[in-house]
């Protein structure tokens, strides 16, 4: 009789789901799965750190809107994965982490790499499972995969003890489940009507489209509704690009620090329609909006609605279905023209605020000083990567802020940063994942000199796997954001912990087999980008930036609520 050890069942479960990549770092406890994946249609993508493997799976989940899969070994492999899991949790990124663990037979016997993994990760994920029966592995994998993407996405954990992987399964007990993707698409017609009724009462509405808009694939519906009604739109996190920044009714990022209309809009709107966007620190926990402004919050996850701020109209719905219904009602009521007329002055005032904000920022974008202003660097990257499908990844403290303030996003899923968890080190793994999934697109990472150190060996992964990413390091000689926030708080920065000094990162990348560039003058940024992209190799451009420029993010860090002295 054919033998089905658990490891084989795990491999078959992955293959039958059509998984393309498993992001992983090897270990004895997961070899029983590797063994049956070798030579299969599924590709094992190996990184140099488990954290990087999980970040890659997270980036996969964000870009593909279906769960990325990471696989790590017991104990240290598992603990190394945790920061990336926490990042995915706060960002609601769909992924499944498969982890080996010590055999059930050997628990508490002082076996190699033994630790109790489940209690550590359980509060960090959407759902955590341990499968103790080889026969049930396909069923558990199906469950993990389904839960990662159902409703509000998130990371799911599946632990497979090594002796379960090695144990033979009784063929008659093997349960195969292949659930179709659960499309939770309720639409509340009455709530859609109420939204349109509210619009007839207000004169200064805005839409903020967050990652829920992206996961619902509602970009076209959003753009259509905005054009139909004339409501100005802003976007946040993965919602960025769901309506392109270049659209006349899109005012780019909803973050108030973005040069443009966001601050004015956030502080003057009388109706804020949040589409799959959370009321987080980014809106000063809701306080950035006027006290008497009304909020409509639309989310697929009921428990999210009403966090931090009273909501006038809570709507539990998929964004795509709701916007389709809203558009249908506007059409039915023949209300489009009157709404557009109603909001015309408001849109004009936002245009004015946008021009003013951008004019003020131009001084920094066009700054020609040496050392280079980091916003000039961001501007050069933004200008060079002007194609609709160019992908930009940002990682760092101030560096990420400057890039977020600058990047023009034309397509959703083409800009990534860590998000709310703010985990430094995401950049190289995210960029590698972006290039792996989009070999024909240009992928550029901008990263702080501090942040690049965390997963620096992922340059080697990129080179070995021929991923021609271009990583631009904004080298301000240290941990800029913390240095600046300390200066603002205490009048000086504590050298230990904020100063790194000059490191020739570009030469390290050359030593690994990639291309390296050192740039010290602003006019040399573009030629280096041109050359790096033309080389078709993994490249690192080490740009010496001004250590004294303080981003609005550092100022916020020094002044915000619980961080304040
Ligand atoms: C993993 C991790 N460690 C520490 C921090 C705290 N932190 C936030 S910003 C920052 C400085 C980042 O420096 P760098 O990457 O060089 O970017 P810069 O601020 O200089 O642009 C630090 C240490 C963090 N967010 N994540």
């Amino acid at each position: 009789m054919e033998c089905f050890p658990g490891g084989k069942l795990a491999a078959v479960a992955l293959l039958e789901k059509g998984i393309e990549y498993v992001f992983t770092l090897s270990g004895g406890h997961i070899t029983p799965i590797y063994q049956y994946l070798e030579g299969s249609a599924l590709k094992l993508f190996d990184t140099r750190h488990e954290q990087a493997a999980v970040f890659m799976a997270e980036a996969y989940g964000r870009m593909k809107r279906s769960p990325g899969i990471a696989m790590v070994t017991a104990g240290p492999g598992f603990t190394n994965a945790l920061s990336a899991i926490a990042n995915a949790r706060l960002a609601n990124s769909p992924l499944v982490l498969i982890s080996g663990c010590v055999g059930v037979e050997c628990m508490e016997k002082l076996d190699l790499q033994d630790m109790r993994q489940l209690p550590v990760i359980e509060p960090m994920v959407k759902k955590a499972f341990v499968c103790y029966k080889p026969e049930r592995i396909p069923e558990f994998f199906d469950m993990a995969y389904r839960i990662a993407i159902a409703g509000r996405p998130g990371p799911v954990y599946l632990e497979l003890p090594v002796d379960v992987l090695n144990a033979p399964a009784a063929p008659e007990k093997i349960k195969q489940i292949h659930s179709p993707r659960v499309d939770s698409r309720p639409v509340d017609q009455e709530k859609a009507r109420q939204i349109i009724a509210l619009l007839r009462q207000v004169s200064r509405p805005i839409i903020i489209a967050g990652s829920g808009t992206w996961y619902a694939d509602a970009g076209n519906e959003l753009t259509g509704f905005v054009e139909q009604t004339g409501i100005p739109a802003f976007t946040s996190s993965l919602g960025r690009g769901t309506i392109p920044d270049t659209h006349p009714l899109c005012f780019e990022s909803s973050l108030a620090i973005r040069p443009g209309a966001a601050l004015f809009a956030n502080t003057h709107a009388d109706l804020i329609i949040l589409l799959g966007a959370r009321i987080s620190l980014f809106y000063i926990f809701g306080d950035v909006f006027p006290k008497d402004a009304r909020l409509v919050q639309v989310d697929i996850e009921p428990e999210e609605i009403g966090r931090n701020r009273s909501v006038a109209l809570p709507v539990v719905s998929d964004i795509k279905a709701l916007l389709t219904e809203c558009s249908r009602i506007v059409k039915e009521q023949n209300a489009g023209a009157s709404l557009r007329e109603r909001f015309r002055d408001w849109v004009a005032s936002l245009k004015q605020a946008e021009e003013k904000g951008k004019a003020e920022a131009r001084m920094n974008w066009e700054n020609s000083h040496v050392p280079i202003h980091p916003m000039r660097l961001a501007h050069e990257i933004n200008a060079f990567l002007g194609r609709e499908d160019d992908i930009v990844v940002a990682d760092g403290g101030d560096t990420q802020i400057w890039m977020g303030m600058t990047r023009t996003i034309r397509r959703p899923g083409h800009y990534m940063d860590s998000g709310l968890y703010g985990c430094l080190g995401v950049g190289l793994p995210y960029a590698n994942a972006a290039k792996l999934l989009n070999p024909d697109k240009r992928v550029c990472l901008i990263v702080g000199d501090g942040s690049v150190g965390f997963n620096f060996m992922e340059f080697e992964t990129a080179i070995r796997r021929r991923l021609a990413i271009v990583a631009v390091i904004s080298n301000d000689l240290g941990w800029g954001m913390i240095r600046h926030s300390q200066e603002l708080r205490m009048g000086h920065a504590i050298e230990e912990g904020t100063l790194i000094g000059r490191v020739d990162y570009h030469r390290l990348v050359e030593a690994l087999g990639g291309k390296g560039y050192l740039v010290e003058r602003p006019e040399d940024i573009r030629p280096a980008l041109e050359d790096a992209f033309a080389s078709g190799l993994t490249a690192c451009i080490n740009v010496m930036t001004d250590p004294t420029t303080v981003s609005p993010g550092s100022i916020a860090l020094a002044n915000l609520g619980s961080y304040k002295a």
Side-chain angles (χ1 to χ4, degrees):
M1 198 183 357
E2 201 185 344
C3 172
F4 286 103
K8 185 170 182 179
L9 289 173
V12 170
L14 289 161
L15 285 163
E16 290 199 341
K17 267 272 181 279
I19 306 296
E20 313 166 70
Y21 294 104
V22 169
F23 301 98
T24 185
L25 198 156
S26 64
H29 297 78
I30 47 175
T31 292
I33 306 178
Y34 269 54
Q35 187 181 343
Y36 293 100
L37 288 174
E38 192 187 12
S40 74
L42 183 155
K43 295 179 235 11
L44 289 167
F45 190 100
D46 53 328
T47 60
R48 298 295 302 270
H49 195 305
E50 287 84 359
Q51 185 188 99
V54 182
F55 277 144
M56 286 191 78
E58 193 201 2
Y60 181 102
R62 288 186 185 193
M63 284 182 289
K64 291 273 200 174
R65 290 179 292 196
S66 67
I69 313 290
M71 183 156 64
V72 298
T73 198
F78 166 83
T79 46
N80 274 347
L82 292 176
S83 289
I85 288 292
N87 200 72
R89 181 62 169 154
L90 208 56
N92 297 326
S93 308
L95 73 87
V96 177
L97 173 65
I98 297 173
S99 178
C101 85
V102 70
V104 183
E105 293 269 345
C106 290
M107 280 169 181
E108 302 297 338
K109 282 189 175 178
L110 301 184
D111 195 7
L112 191 70
Q113 293 170 237
D114 188 11
M115 74 167 280
R116 288 182 61 214
Q117 298 172 183
L118 185 75
V120 174
I121 204 167
E122 199 153 32
M124 300 176 67
V125 289
K126 198 172 172 189
K127 195 89 185 170
F129 303 105
V130 183
C131 182
Y132 292 108
K133 292 275 180 200
E135 296 83 9
R136 297 196 66 192
I137 289 175
E139 184 192 339
F140 270 74
F141 180 68
D142 182 75
M143 200 150 48
Y145 192 85
R146 176 165 52 79
I147 291 172
I149 195 66
R152 175 158 77 174
V156 176
Y157 176 68
L158 175 57
E159 179 168 307
L160 303 172
V162 67
D163 50 4
V164 176
L165 291 174
N166 284 326
E172 71 282 2
K173 287 196 185 156
I174 298 169
K175 198 166 172 186
Q176 292 289 357
I177 299 185
H178 295 293
S179 308
R181 186 163 167 163
V182 182
D183 273 339
S184 38
R185 300 268 183 263
V187 61
D188 189 331
Q189 296 186 339
E190 184 44 40
K191 287 285 167 67
R193 264 181 208 289
Q194 289 174 24
I195 292 175
I196 307 305
L198 259 180
L199 286 175
R200 291 176 182 278
Q201 296 164 27
V202 299
S203 49
R204 299 185 306 282
I206 57 169
I207 285 176
I208 297 180
S211 53
T213 309
W214 165 241
Y215 283 111
D217 190 16
N220 288 342
E221 290 73 11
L222 170 66
T223 307
F225 183 62
V226 161
E227 286 171 357
Q228 189 186 26
T229 56
I231 307 174
F234 292 80
T235 56
S236 70
S237 59
L238 279 192
R240 298 279 289 115
T242 49
I243 176 166
D245 281 352
T246 45
H247 189 284
L249 282 167
C250 178
F251 290 86
E252 308 174 349
S253 167
S254 58
L255 289 198
I257 56 172
R258 171 104 175 173
L263 178 62
F264 180 78
N266 286 346
T267 52
H268 289 81
D270 59 359
L271 180 74
I272 296 111
I273 303 176
L274 295 156
L275 299 177
R278 296 172 293 174
I279 308 173
S280 67
L281 162 77
F282 294 152
Y283 308 102
I284 321 179
F285 309 113
D287 291 349
V288 75
F289 305 122
K291 277 201 165 45
D292 53 357
R294 283 183 281 185
L295 262 66
V296 174
Q297 191 173 9
V298 186
D299 208 288
I300 196 78
E301 176 58 59
E303 74 172 42
E304 189 55 50
I305 299 177
R307 194 204 292 267
N308 293 327
R309 170 99 194 207
S310 302
V311 169
L313 184 58
V315 186
V316 179
S317 177
D318 173 74
I319 315 285
K320 191 184 185 92
L322 183 83
L323 287 173
T324 306
E325 182 61 13
C326 285
S327 282
R328 195 191 62 72
I329 295 170
V330 172
K331 206 166 165 203
E332 179 187 270
Q333 297 180 352
N334 205 9
S338 67
L339 288 173
R340 288 196 299 275
E341 181 54 36
R342 194 176 174 85
F343 308 140
R344 192 184 304 277
D345 290 350
W346 171 232
V347 171
S349 61
L350 292 187
K351 289 251 182 255
Q352 254 180 12
E354 181 174 46
E355 274 158 31
K356 191 162 165 275
K358 290 220 185 296
E360 282 163 11
R362 200 152 295 130
M363 203 172 68
N364 291 334
W365 280 325
E366 291 169 6
N367 190 307
S368 55
H369 289 166
V370 175
I372 297 167
H373 193 295
M375 207 164 169
R376 168 73 188 265
L377 173 60
H379 176 66
E380 290 292 330
I381 289 173
N382 191 46
F384 182 76
L385 288 134
R387 293 183 200 153
E388 199 189 28
D389 64 355
D390 286 333
I391 297 175
V392 172
V393 173
D395 179 13
D398 282 348
T399 302
Q400 181 176 318
I401 300 280
W402 295 120
M403 198 67 231
M405 288 167 67
T406 303
R407 181 66 182 147
T408 309
I409 300 178
R410 298 169 179 85
R411 261 204 209 177
H414 285 61
Y415 184 81
M416 272 188 294
D417 59 27
S418 60
L420 256 182
Y421 195 61
C423 192
L424 304 178
V426 296
L428 279 164
Y430 279 10
N432 282 348
K435 190 66 186 170
L436 180 71
L437 300 179
N438 302 280
D440 300 330
K441 297 184 185 178
R442 298 190 295 186
V443 176
C444 183
L445 164 68
I446 177 160
V447 55
D449 57 321
S451 296
V452 79
F454 288 97
N455 282 305
F456 198 85
M457 279 309 278
E458 297 314 311
F459 272 118
E460 188 279 324
T461 303
I463 291 161
R464 180 166 33 87
R465 292 297 193 127
R466 301 191 195 292
L467 299 175
I469 60 162
V470 174
V472 179
I473 300 176
S474 175
N475 192 342
D476 65 355
L477 310 176
W479 307 95
M481 178 177 264
I482 305 305
R483 180 170 62 224
H484 298 141
S485 59
Q486 287 183 357
E487 283 162 359
L488 291 165
R489 179 190 171 105
M490 310 179 297
H492 72 283
I494 304 164
E495 200 168 291
E496 297 80 8
T498 63
L499 187 75
I500 298 173
R502 188 157 172 155
V503 178
D504 283 342
Y505 299 103
H506 58 292
R507 297 184 62 190
L508 296 174
V509 174
E510 278 176 344
L512 290 168
K515 278 276 239 177
Y517 304 81
L518 176 67
V519 169
E520 299 191 90
R521 294 177 310 162
E523 60 273 26
D524 295 336
I525 300 170
R526 195 178 178 101
L529 283 168
E530 275 166 8
D531 201 79
F533 276 103
S535 76
L537 297 172
T538 307
C540 170
I541 307 177
N542 188 11
V543 182
M544 303 314 294
T545 47
D546 187 350
T548 65
T549 51
V550 183
S551 85
S554 289
I555 297 170
L557 189 62
N559 291 322
L560 262 176
S562 50
Y563 302 98
K564 229 160 72 196

